[in-house]
Amino acid sequence: MPVPTGPTVPTVLVLDADPLPRLGRLTGRARIEHTDAAGLAGHLPAADVLLVWDFTSHAVREAWPGGGPRPRWVHTASAGVDHLMCPELAASDTVVTNARGVFDRPIAEYVAALVLAFAKDLPRTLDLQRERTWRHRESRRLAGTRACVVGSGPIGRTIARTLKALDVTTAVVGRVPRTGIHGPGDLDRLIARADWVIAAAPLTEATHGLFDARRFGVMQPSAYFINVGRGQLVVEDALAHALTRRWIAGAALDVFTDEPLTPDSPLWRLPGLVVSPHMSGDTVGWRDELGAQFVELYERWAAGRPLLNVVDKQRGYVPGH
């Protein structure tokens, strides 16, 4: 992937979101241009690199099929790439990279916090405090319980290691079986005996609607379900039915089919459901870390070195791990 030489410097187009990325280290080494979703299609032909800073936008998917040249490299400041992938981008020579590595530990900590909160009945404790009600209860011992983590990428594996540190027996399910990883054929068997089922898979054709009425029916009545992957992994109506009928003990969703949730969404009022606004990976300073990661990748690209975090555009994630 040759880089322009001589007085011309590459143009980096940023699909904006507030706050803007800090790209001062690229001064003199790149021409930085900014656009919103409405202006993206008009700016794409002149860009060498596209930084999808607004990783909640579907503007790339909509603008990419237009005419004219396209950037040779697209980087998204997110782990998932489903928001930008379209057939034309997937079939092109453009390299796509993601923010692999930035969110692994924060999301794993968030999942561990939810598991502990459910085991120790903290949501109910807070409700009773607001009611000024003194009600003694017994909580669950976490050590010795079982977890099934669906998704064998860095985030899923970090979740598994974190739960194992809490003495939770943990199994990981991936796209293909390998050492330490179960294949899809083991999923039903593993979730049937799990106390904690955690969805951390990328969104692909194979994972869309993975957790449906049948899968929630397989789980134990004492089990809890947590989704930190993609909202479309879950059939939300099926989860609502499972919680209302008490097929499972509770759930936590950090991602949703449509975001943000509208005030009239029935998910807000579901019994046993913890709703958080897609924040499991967002710790203090996370945007600066994302910006620094892009700068480091740009330096590799400008030097003609192989890029890291290259996404397999057909599979929808970084392969090989």
Side-chain angles (χ1 to χ4, degrees), residues 17-34:
D18 286 328
L20 296 176
R22 297 182 180 181
L23 304 178
R25 282 168 52 189
L26 299 185
T27 300
R29 294 188 288 166
R31 179 184 300 106
I32 309 297
E33 296 186 355
H34 296 267

mmCIF file of all heavy atoms in Angstrom, residues 17-34:
data_model
loop_
_atom_site.group_PDB
_atom_site.id
_atom_site.type_symbol
_atom_site.label_atom_id
_atom_site.label_comp_id
_atom_site.label_asym_id
_atom_site.label_seq_id
_atom_site.Cartn_x
_atom_site.Cartn_y
_atom_site.Cartn_z
ATOM 1 N N ALA A 17 -17.153 13.421 15.653
ATOM 2 C CA ALA A 17 -18.011 13.279 16.823
ATOM 3 C C ALA A 17 -17.342 14.079 17.926
ATOM 4 O O ALA A 17 -16.119 14.231 17.942
ATOM 5 C CB ALA A 17 -18.173 11.819 17.229
ATOM 6 N N ASP A 18 -18.130 14.628 18.835
ATOM 7 C CA ASP A 18 -17.567 15.402 19.952
ATOM 8 C C ASP A 18 -17.171 14.476 21.097
ATOM 9 O O ASP A 18 -17.918 13.542 21.433
ATOM 10 C CB ASP A 18 -18.598 16.416 20.455
ATOM 11 C CG ASP A 18 -18.758 17.579 19.488
ATOM 12 O OD1 ASP A 18 -17.756 17.933 18.828
ATOM 13 O OD2 ASP A 18 -19.869 18.127 19.407
ATOM 14 N N PRO A 19 -16.016 14.771 21.730
ATOM 15 C CA PRO A 19 -15.000 15.741 21.330
ATOM 16 C C PRO A 19 -14.149 15.203 20.186
ATOM 17 O O PRO A 19 -14.040 13.989 20.006
ATOM 18 C CB PRO A 19 -14.168 15.918 22.605
ATOM 19 C CG PRO A 19 -14.283 14.575 23.276
ATOM 20 C CD PRO A 19 -15.665 14.078 22.985
ATOM 21 N N LEU A 20 -13.533 16.096 19.420
ATOM 22 C CA LEU A 20 -12.729 15.680 18.287
ATOM 23 C C LEU A 20 -11.454 14.969 18.746
ATOM 24 O O LEU A 20 -10.968 15.211 19.858
ATOM 25 C CB LEU A 20 -12.354 16.894 17.436
ATOM 26 C CG LEU A 20 -13.514 17.635 16.757
ATOM 27 C CD1 LEU A 20 -12.987 18.867 16.039
ATOM 28 C CD2 LEU A 20 -14.247 16.715 15.799
ATOM 29 N N PRO A 21 -10.901 14.093 17.914
ATOM 30 C CA PRO A 21 -9.659 13.410 18.297
ATOM 31 C C PRO A 21 -8.487 14.370 18.340
ATOM 32 O O PRO A 21 -8.431 15.352 17.588
ATOM 33 C CB PRO A 21 -9.481 12.372 17.180
ATOM 34 C CG PRO A 21 -10.179 12.961 16.005
ATOM 35 C CD PRO A 21 -11.366 13.683 16.569
ATOM 36 N N ARG A 22 -7.541 14.072 19.205
ATOM 37 C CA ARG A 22 -6.320 14.862 19.293
ATOM 38 C C ARG A 22 -5.287 14.268 18.339
ATOM 39 O O ARG A 22 -4.719 13.207 18.605
ATOM 40 C CB ARG A 22 -5.794 14.852 20.726
ATOM 41 C CG ARG A 22 -6.751 15.492 21.722
ATOM 42 C CD ARG A 22 -6.161 15.505 23.126
ATOM 43 N NE ARG A 22 -7.066 16.101 24.082
ATOM 44 C CZ ARG A 22 -6.798 16.258 25.377
ATOM 45 N NH1 ARG A 22 -5.623 15.849 25.846
ATOM 46 N NH2 ARG A 22 -7.681 16.811 26.191
ATOM 47 N N LEU A 23 -5.061 14.963 17.234
ATOM 48 C CA LEU A 23 -4.168 14.466 16.191
ATOM 49 C C LEU A 23 -2.994 15.401 15.960
ATOM 50 O O LEU A 23 -2.422 15.450 14.871
ATOM 51 C CB LEU A 23 -4.953 14.269 14.884
ATOM 52 C CG LEU A 23 -6.174 13.343 14.965
ATOM 53 C CD1 LEU A 23 -6.889 13.277 13.619
ATOM 54 C CD2 LEU A 23 -5.774 11.939 15.419
ATOM 55 N N GLY A 24 -2.609 16.145 17.003
ATOM 56 C CA GLY A 24 -1.530 17.116 16.870
ATOM 57 C C GLY A 24 -0.213 16.501 16.440
ATOM 58 O O GLY A 24 0.599 17.160 15.775
ATOM 59 N N ARG A 25 0.019 15.240 16.789
ATOM 60 C CA ARG A 25 1.271 14.590 16.410
ATOM 61 C C ARG A 25 1.395 14.400 14.905
ATOM 62 O O ARG A 25 2.496 14.133 14.397
ATOM 63 C CB ARG A 25 1.386 13.225 17.103
ATOM 64 C CG ARG A 25 1.813 13.303 18.564
ATOM 65 C CD ARG A 25 1.637 11.984 19.273
ATOM 66 N NE ARG A 25 2.262 10.856 18.583
ATOM 67 C CZ ARG A 25 2.082 9.583 18.951
ATOM 68 N NH1 ARG A 25 1.303 9.290 19.983
ATOM 69 N NH2 ARG A 25 2.665 8.605 18.278
ATOM 70 N N LEU A 26 0.292 14.561 14.175
ATOM 71 C CA LEU A 26 0.335 14.400 12.720
ATOM 72 C C LEU A 26 0.549 15.719 11.987
ATOM 73 O O LEU A 26 0.552 15.741 10.752
ATOM 74 C CB LEU A 26 -0.957 13.747 12.235
ATOM 75 C CG LEU A 26 -1.255 12.354 12.781
ATOM 76 C CD1 LEU A 26 -2.500 11.782 12.128
ATOM 77 C CD2 LEU A 26 -0.069 11.417 12.577
ATOM 78 N N THR A 27 0.753 16.802 12.724
ATOM 79 C CA THR A 27 0.970 18.107 12.098
ATOM 80 C C THR A 27 2.173 18.037 11.150
ATOM 81 O O THR A 27 3.260 17.601 11.535
ATOM 82 C CB THR A 27 1.222 19.185 13.164
ATOM 83 O OG1 THR A 27 0.086 19.257 14.034
ATOM 84 C CG2 THR A 27 1.451 20.549 12.512
ATOM 85 N N GLY A 28 1.953 18.462 9.906
ATOM 86 C CA GLY A 28 3.009 18.430 8.904
ATOM 87 C C GLY A 28 3.162 17.097 8.212
ATOM 88 O O GLY A 28 3.853 16.999 7.200
ATOM 89 N N ARG A 29 2.522 16.063 8.759
ATOM 90 C CA ARG A 29 2.643 14.727 8.167
ATOM 91 C C ARG A 29 1.342 14.258 7.540
ATOM 92 O O ARG A 29 1.302 13.225 6.861
ATOM 93 C CB ARG A 29 3.088 13.723 9.233
ATOM 94 C CG ARG A 29 4.492 13.995 9.749
ATOM 95 C CD ARG A 29 4.954 12.888 10.645
ATOM 96 N NE ARG A 29 4.264 12.890 11.934
ATOM 97 C CZ ARG A 29 4.281 11.875 12.789
ATOM 98 N NH1 ARG A 29 4.907 10.755 12.456
ATOM 99 N NH2 ARG A 29 3.676 11.970 13.951
ATOM 100 N N ALA A 30 0.283 15.003 7.778
ATOM 101 C CA ALA A 30 -1.009 14.668 7.194
ATOM 102 C C ALA A 30 -1.852 15.928 7.112
ATOM 103 O O ALA A 30 -1.716 16.848 7.932
ATOM 104 C CB ALA A 30 -1.730 13.605 8.031
ATOM 105 N N ARG A 31 -2.695 15.981 6.109
ATOM 106 C CA ARG A 31 -3.676 17.057 6.000
ATOM 107 C C ARG A 31 -4.970 16.538 6.642
ATOM 108 O O ARG A 31 -5.576 15.598 6.153
ATOM 109 C CB ARG A 31 -3.915 17.428 4.545
ATOM 110 C CG ARG A 31 -4.950 18.544 4.342
ATOM 111 C CD ARG A 31 -5.216 18.807 2.870
ATOM 112 N NE ARG A 31 -3.995 19.217 2.179
ATOM 113 C CZ ARG A 31 -3.310 18.444 1.350
ATOM 114 N NH1 ARG A 31 -3.728 17.196 1.105
ATOM 115 N NH2 ARG A 31 -2.217 18.884 0.762
ATOM 116 N N ILE A 32 -5.370 17.135 7.743
ATOM 117 C CA ILE A 32 -6.545 16.678 8.478
ATOM 118 C C ILE A 32 -7.762 17.467 8.020
ATOM 119 O O ILE A 32 -7.776 18.695 8.078
ATOM 120 C CB ILE A 32 -6.369 16.842 10.002
ATOM 121 C CG1 ILE A 32 -5.040 16.225 10.461
ATOM 122 C CG2 ILE A 32 -7.546 16.228 10.745
ATOM 123 C CD1 ILE A 32 -4.935 14.736 10.239
ATOM 124 N N GLU A 33 -8.780 16.757 7.542
ATOM 125 C CA GLU A 33 -10.047 17.375 7.169
ATOM 126 C C GLU A 33 -11.160 16.725 7.974
ATOM 127 O O GLU A 33 -11.067 15.553 8.358
ATOM 128 C CB GLU A 33 -10.304 17.233 5.672
ATOM 129 C CG GLU A 33 -9.285 17.972 4.808
ATOM 130 C CD GLU A 33 -9.642 17.935 3.331
ATOM 131 O OE1 GLU A 33 -10.637 17.250 2.966
ATOM 132 O OE2 GLU A 33 -8.916 18.566 2.531
ATOM 133 N N HIS A 34 -12.201 17.508 8.211
ATOM 134 C CA HIS A 34 -13.309 17.026 9.032
ATOM 135 C C HIS A 34 -14.614 17.100 8.252
ATOM 136 O O HIS A 34 -14.793 17.976 7.398
ATOM 137 C CB HIS A 34 -13.429 17.865 10.311
ATOM 138 C CG HIS A 34 -12.238 17.755 11.217
ATOM 139 N ND1 HIS A 34 -12.168 16.837 12.239
ATOM 140 C CD2 HIS A 34 -11.073 18.451 11.249
ATOM 141 C CE1 HIS A 34 -11.005 16.974 12.859
ATOM 142 N NE2 HIS A 34 -10.330 17.947 12.271
#
